[in-house]
Amino acid sequence: MSTGTIVKVSGPLVIAEGMRDANMFDVVRVSEHRLIGEIIEMHGDRASIQVYEETAGLGTGEPVESTNDPLSVELGPGLIGSIFDGIQRPLEKIREKIGNNLSRGIEVPSLDRDKTWHFVPAKQAGDEVTGGEVLGTVQETDIVSHKIMLSPMQKGTVVALTEGDYTITDTIGTLKTDAGEVPLTLMQKWPVRRGRPYRKKLSPDLPLVTGQRVIDTLFPIAKGGVAAIPGPFGSGKTVTQHQLAKWAQADIVVYIGCGERGNEMTDVLNEFPELVDPNTGKSLMERTVLIANTSDMPVAAREASIYTGITIAEYFRDMGYCVALMADSTSRWAEALREMSGRLEEMPGEEGYPAYLGSRLAQFYERAGRVITLGSGEEGALSVIGAVSPPGGDISEPVSQATLRIVKVFWGLDSNLAYKRHFPAINWLTSYSLYADTLGAWFNKNVNPEWMTLRGKMMTLLSEEASLDEIVKLVGMDALSPTDRLKMEAARSIREDFLHQLAFHEVDTYSSLHKQYLMMKLVILYYEQSKEALERNADIETLAALPVREAIGRFKYVPEKDVDEEFDKVKATLAVQIDDACNREEE
């Protein structure tokens, strides 16, 4: 164990001498307070240490002790439903121990050492096992069956594996390896900066269905995909991520509050236990891991929170689960990188951010993916959705631009839409999804062969409305031809009846893909049949004021079980009213 002394303290950066035997990214304990830090630079026996706790009051000459282990997380039963800080300290346990104030240097194990779990083995004595293979299961919550896997670095022959009730440190069996017999426990450790291995990465050709129409229809994300939600303050980033956490077709949700305001994280902590998982009827917390690293916590710990979160997410992916990771927000992490880079006196890049900002973001996002896991060879997926908070909503700043070069889906939030109470405030003119064409074949095959055709027609109408809107602002609606007026009406229907979705409405909060198809179909039917009616000299004012448009607008509130019946009714009514409009003109 290497021990040195502090020679300089600069905010979260501590420089220590006499650390010749320490390694890069080793965890160290700083001063008598035993603050947690990580070595981020080595020059001879001089180590630059990023300290993840408040450094006020530290002085030169105080001891620094290296643990000779990299920053790692504990992985095992007890993760689900827990609330950790950025370095995986369990906040509930700390509160029970010392009260509401998080004091420095406190050492509490990440996972509960006293709680017992019932282990059911899936292997028996004599079985050959390799890294990642499932040794057995523990029923962690009503929803999650926690698979106890062999660490990816181990392989050997099972000597013994016994069913029973164990704590996470108890020996559940023995493994014979080349180096001799080793004990097996319910828990394993993994360094956070290293991605967990897998057998093979798969192409992103299955959608992550979210039930949010603007996402699933216009800008879909693939299972194992990466998306960014940039937007100014108050445009709905957090609410959108809450909706995705609740409704996305993911088995496990990992939510990282990275440098967000305390009140936003409090909302998450209060709401998630009360939210009901729509698939099981249980609390959403029974499949969620929360990592709370608020803006008043030490700035350096933001980086650790991002890596802690994605390592936990990879662990559940390795069990064959579909995991959704929400990072809110990566801008706060980038600000922490900027501060540390400045204190290390590195050459700054654009706007003071470090020159390696893009590569650090890429290292994080590249850990997403749909994979064939080690050992069991099951399919697991990890989708990453990162919120970006550009100052003033200006996405030309470095963090947004570096993120856009990496991610495949851009859901650009618009404060103007948010102020008009249009939710989700995803701007359909600036957003995009590079998965759309790949996933199109899946939608056409599994939902309806018309899916991509209807989507294309809707996108065309929305872009044509934007062009016509300029003319309307200059000379008014009356200057438009009847055909252009109809395009404006159809686009308004798409915006108000299809894209607008109420997060807090019991029916409208989630739309199945079948319902989304029927809604698209109705809006496009109205447009195409009205267009034919115009050719038969129908009046545009009559077509714009058809009573059936109210029924089309209210279709979003129809319960899932009644959508087919209601669709047939509205479609029949539309045909009758269009005919009436044409006949009225002919008379």
Side-chain angles (χ1 to χ4, degrees), residues 224-260:
V226 286
I229 314 180
F233 175 76
S235 57
K237 292 186 293 294
T238 305
V239 183
T240 304
Q241 285 197 319
H242 284 200
Q243 281 293 92
L244 296 174
K246 184 177 180 184
W247 293 107
Q249 281 186 350
D251 303 307
I252 308 287
V253 175
V254 179
Y255 193 99
I256 308 168
C258 175
E260 282 304 295

Side-chain angles (χ1 to χ4, degrees), residues 322-335:
C322 177
V323 186
L325 180 134
M326 314 288 163
D328 186 14
S329 92
T330 53
S331 295
R332 310 277 177 256
W333 167 35
E335 285 164 12

Side-chain angles (χ1 to χ4, degrees), residues 250-270:
D251 303 307
I252 308 287
V253 175
V254 179
Y255 193 99
I256 308 168
C258 175
E260 282 304 295
R261 287 169 293 282
N263 60 334
E264 288 197 8
M265 205 62 223
T266 307
D267 283 348
V268 174
L269 299 180
N270 286 335

Side-chain angles (χ1 to χ4, degrees), residues 231-234 237-238 256-262 264 293-306 327-340 353 357 361 387-392 397 399 403:
F233 175 76
K237 292 186 293 294
T238 305
I256 308 168
C258 175
E260 282 304 295
R261 287 169 293 282
E264 288 197 8
N293 184 255
T294 55
S295 51
D296 63 341
M297 290 180 176
V299 69
R302 294 176 188 178
E303 182 174 16
S305 68
I306 288 285
D328 186 14
S329 92
T330 53
S331 295
R332 310 277 177 256
W333 167 35
E335 285 164 12
L337 287 178
R338 178 166 62 183
E339 174 159 345
M340 289 307 299
Y353 287 102
L357 172 68
L361 285 166
V388 185
S389 312
E397 56 89 44
V399 182
T403 305

Side-chain angles (χ1 to χ4, degrees), residues 423-443:
F423 179 85
I426 294 173
N427 188 321
W428 47 88
L429 298 173
T430 57
S431 303
Y432 61 81
S433 168
L434 300 182
Y435 298 121
D437 291 339
T438 314
L439 297 175
W442 187 94
F443 283 116

Side-chain angles (χ1 to χ4, degrees), residues 272-568:
F272 271 42
E274 291 175 9
L275 288 175
V276 175
D277 182 349
N279 299 317
T280 60
K282 306 283 184 185
S283 165
L284 191 63
M285 279 304 287
E286 291 200 16
R287 60 180 180 94
T288 303
V289 182
L290 290 177
I291 293 163
N293 184 255
T294 55
S295 51
D296 63 341
M297 290 180 176
V299 69
R302 294 176 188 178
E303 182 174 16
S305 68
I306 288 285
Y307 288 116
T308 297
I310 200 154
T311 307
I312 291 171
E314 285 178 330
Y315 174 63
F316 284 108
R317 175 207 70 191
D318 290 349
M319 294 181 199
Y321 287 126
C322 177
V323 186
L325 180 134
M326 314 288 163
D328 186 14
S329 92
T330 53
S331 295
R332 310 277 177 256
W333 167 35
E335 285 164 12
L337 287 178
R338 178 166 62 183
E339 174 159 345
M340 289 307 299
S341 175
R343 292 186 185 278
L344 286 165
E345 298 175 4
E346 295 172 338
M347 182 71 77
E350 193 181 349
E351 289 189 25
Y353 287 102
Y356 49 77
L357 172 68
S359 66
R360 284 286 177 87
L361 285 166
Q363 282 167 16
F364 167 66
Y365 281 109
E366 76 176 2
R367 287 169 73 170
R370 189 164 66 94
V371 303
I372 299 294
T373 62
L374 283 180
S376 59
E378 288 186 81
E379 189 180 296
L382 167 53
S383 312
V384 176
I385 296 155
V388 185
S389 312
D394 176 19
I395 62 164
S396 64
E397 56 89 44
V399 182
S400 301
Q401 288 303 308
T403 305
L404 288 183
R405 283 195 287 273
I406 300 158
V407 301
K408 300 287 191 291
V409 180
F410 170 76
W411 296 319
L413 296 175
D414 190 324
S415 54
N416 290 330
L417 284 174
Y419 294 146
K420 291 174 186 170
R421 298 288 183 267
H422 180 103
F423 179 85
I426 294 173
N427 188 321
W428 47 88
L429 298 173
T430 57
S431 303
Y432 61 81
S433 168
L434 300 182
Y435 298 121
D437 291 339
T438 314
L439 297 175
W442 187 94
F443 283 116
N444 283 346
K445 181 182 176 185
N446 293 280
V447 187
N448 193 283
E450 287 186 287
W451 180 278
M452 290 304 284
T453 308
L454 292 173
R455 176 187 178 273
K457 288 176 179 175
M458 279 179 39
M459 294 291 278
T460 304
L461 282 168
L462 288 168
S463 61
E464 287 180 351
E465 181 201 31
S467 308
L468 293 170
D469 203 37
E470 298 296 317
I471 299 168
V472 171
K473 282 175 183 169
L474 285 171
V475 293
M477 187 70 84
D478 296 338
L480 296 181
S481 66
T483 311
D484 286 345
R485 280 280 306 279
L486 180 61
K487 283 178 185 172
M488 294 289 280
E489 286 297 327
R492 182 165 72 88
S493 193
I494 294 168
R495 283 190 287 108
E496 295 177 4
D497 304 339
F498 185 83
L499 297 180
H500 181 269
Q501 191 166 355
L502 293 172
F504 300 107
H505 189 280
E506 58 181 4
V507 174
D508 195 34
T509 184
Y510 177 87
S511 287
S512 67
L513 293 180
H514 178 60
K515 184 176 179 181
Q516 291 184 43
Y517 160 71
L518 295 180
M519 290 175 73
M520 275 200 286
K521 184 72 175 167
L522 280 179
V523 173
I524 298 300
L525 275 176
Y526 164 74
Y527 171 67
E528 291 181 339
Q529 292 185 13
S530 297
K531 196 173 168 188
E532 288 172 14
L534 282 178
E535 290 167 5
R536 290 166 58 189
N537 296 322
D539 178 44
I540 183 62
E541 298 290 349
T542 309
L543 293 171
L546 287 179
V548 74
R549 295 194 68 193
E550 175 73 15
I552 294 172
R554 299 200 65 77
F555 192 81
K556 61 170 86 169
Y557 305 122
V558 176
E560 294 285 341
K561 63 181 191 326
D562 303 326
V563 288
D564 288 313
E565 186 185 340
E566 185 64 20
F567 174 78
D568 292 336

Side-chain angles (χ1 to χ4, degrees), residues 63-76:
V64 174
E65 189 182 284
S66 171
T67 61
N68 291 343
D69 286 321
L71 185 64
S72 302
V73 288
E74 294 184 349
L75 303 169

Side-chain angles (χ1 to χ4, degrees), residues 185-258:
T185 64
L186 297 178
M187 181 186 80
Q188 55 178 276
K189 282 192 165 188
W190 189 263
V192 297
R193 291 180 181 272
R194 199 160 107 218
R196 285 176 65 88
Y198 48 81
R199 195 181 295 180
K200 179 187 175 188
K201 206 163 199 172
L202 303 172
S203 63
D205 49 18
L206 295 177
L208 180 69
V209 179
T210 66
Q212 310 305 298
R213 293 187 289 271
V214 65
I215 293 174
D216 291 342
T217 304
L218 299 189
F219 312 112
I221 178 173
K223 273 186 182 173
V226 286
I229 314 180
F233 175 76
S235 57
K237 292 186 293 294
T238 305
V239 183
T240 304
Q241 285 197 319
H242 284 200
Q243 281 293 92
L244 296 174
K246 184 177 180 184
W247 293 107
Q249 281 186 350
D251 303 307
I252 308 287
V253 175
V254 179
Y255 193 99
I256 308 168
C258 175

